[in-house]
Amino acid sequence: MAHQPMLKFVKVERAMPEKRDANVRNADFNEIYAEYAGAMAKEQSSRCSQCGVPYCQSHCPLHNNIPDWLRLTAEGRLQEAYDLSQATNTFPEICGRICPQDRLCEGNCVIEQSGHGTVTIGSVEKYITDTAWEQGWVQPIKPHAERKESVGIIGAGPGGLAAADVLRRQGVQVTVYDRYDRSGGLMTYGIPGFKLEKDVVMRRNQQLEDGGVTFKLNCAVGEDISFADIRDAHDAVVIATGVYKTRDLAGPGSGADGIERAIDYLTASNRKSFGDAVPEFDSGALDAKGKRVVVIGGGDTAMDCVRTAIRQGATSVKCLYRRDRANMPGSQREVQNAEEEGVVFEWLTAPKGFTGTPVSGVIVERMRLGLPDATGRQSPEVIDGSEYVESADLVIKALGFEPEDLPTLWDQPDLAVTRWGTIKAEFTSGATAMPGVYAVGDIVRGASLVVWAIRDGRDCAAAVLEQLNGVAAVAAE
Ligand code: FAD
Ligand code: SF4
Ligand code: SF4
């Protein structure tokens, strides 16, 4: 009988790559997990039971062929594993690092449900593609033939870049416009280096540029160039601008100096990691060093802020969230990482107002979870008389993001939006009500995930190609 490399989940225990000690990692912005050694990746992949109906795959937004690339890794056939993995995912090594696997692929792995600990799918995916980069298997795009049609993509985040990649592979002329000076969107300026080191994103940007994608950076659509001009210049346009309007806090004192937006705080920190001059950081306004920091919110952005503040040398870091640990939107894995690094969570608390100018404290009310609301989620209620003041020199608002008003900013009243301000687009194609205009990622879904933006970008590119092919066929008749 042939040697069976798989189904080892009973004999081989689940093991993540080594995590750096909290006392070491909390002083730098490098990723906290090491890479698997080759033998370990093989062994961990061999735990997969090769399900006939792989729930891991159906719960991956990209429907990655997980069991097959795990088997190839277990067999030491890494280049084939890479070919298979990159066939469905534009940035496998990025998803391997930052997908909330506990809610997606790994959370649905059957061996986890049988009590043996999930296959470490994300870490293996990262290992396969990091190895591919090391070995030189990741190459710039070389289309078989050039096409004359061009597509303009507004926004160089994962949604826009995934669409750019698929279109360019088919020889389409692609121009990506972005108001930032570097591509990558929130992968570059939102997500901190300890989750996703910046050279991992920059080498992807370079790969796309080397493959013939044109980038027009420092170019804000609606200011430096009009949407109408972009539409005139291209056969199709993809809007992938993400969501950047910060949900605000009300209450007395909420306008005081020292109360900052999470996106400004994280962008400044990421820019410092690039070695950029960042006056708002150098002035101390966006630097947590030596400060008592309070972060308000319970999502992944809040987790990134608290962990950034620890690394900047804050004297204390507290996170206020109005529900409890079990009901927070952020990943449990990130809460655990934050606690290990010294963050204190004040569950069931909400800010009522602020003291001092600049800010010196947050007036906090304690909450309890009441009856479930229409969505079935228990609503937080204030506990009367529970008010206290939490001292703070820097308060960071991390309450989520909303879309900017694109129809007004771009003078495009025909660009239909939902009642939440996100762009109305067809479910799979991303087609909007405007002919030849598509939309993908957070600007359609609201704040979501990198992997969903990639999925949208890839699906939309397929629809754009169909449009271009249709027009080309009519022209040839
Ligand atoms: P974005 O990544 O936001 O990119 C949009 C791009 O459009 C930006 O580069 C912007 O500069 C550009 N743009 C906007 N307006 C204009 C304009 N008018 N003209 C020109 N350019 C414009 N997801 C995960 O999966 N895992 C995580 O761990 C994770 N952590 C996160 C942490 C933080 C702090 C934040 C804020 C988000 C996190 N997310 C995470 C969510 C994830 O980053 C987003 O869902 C994803 O980046 C959305 O991709 P996108 O392409 O739609 O938009
Ligand atoms: Fe899991 Fe994300 Fe990779 Fe899909 S893309 S297999 S959800 S880590
Ligand atoms: Fe393997 Fe788990 Fe996926 Fe089954 S669900 S194929 S065991 S990774």
Side-chain angles (χ1 to χ4, degrees), residues 48-51 54-56 66-67 70 108-111 119 121:
C48 169
S49 76
Q50 299 284 282
C51 303
Y55 289 121
C56 56
I66 299 164
L70 286 172
N108 291 280
C109 172
V110 290
I111 66 170
V119 177
I121 301 169

Side-chain angles (χ1 to χ4, degrees), residues 246-251 254-255 259 296 351 354 395-399:
T246 300
R247 288 203 190 112
D248 228 332
L249 280 170
S254 57
I259 304 177
I296 299 168
F354 301 87
V395 175
I396 301 170
K397 303 178 274 190
L399 298 154

Side-chain angles (χ1 to χ4, degrees), residues 59-62 64 66 69 89 95-96 99 101 104-105 121-122 125 451:
H59 285 86
C60 164
L62 296 163
N64 283 341
I66 299 164
W69 48 250
N89 191 351
C95 292
C99 271
Q101 285 102 8
L104 300 171
C105 53
I121 301 169
E125 189 177 23
V451 67

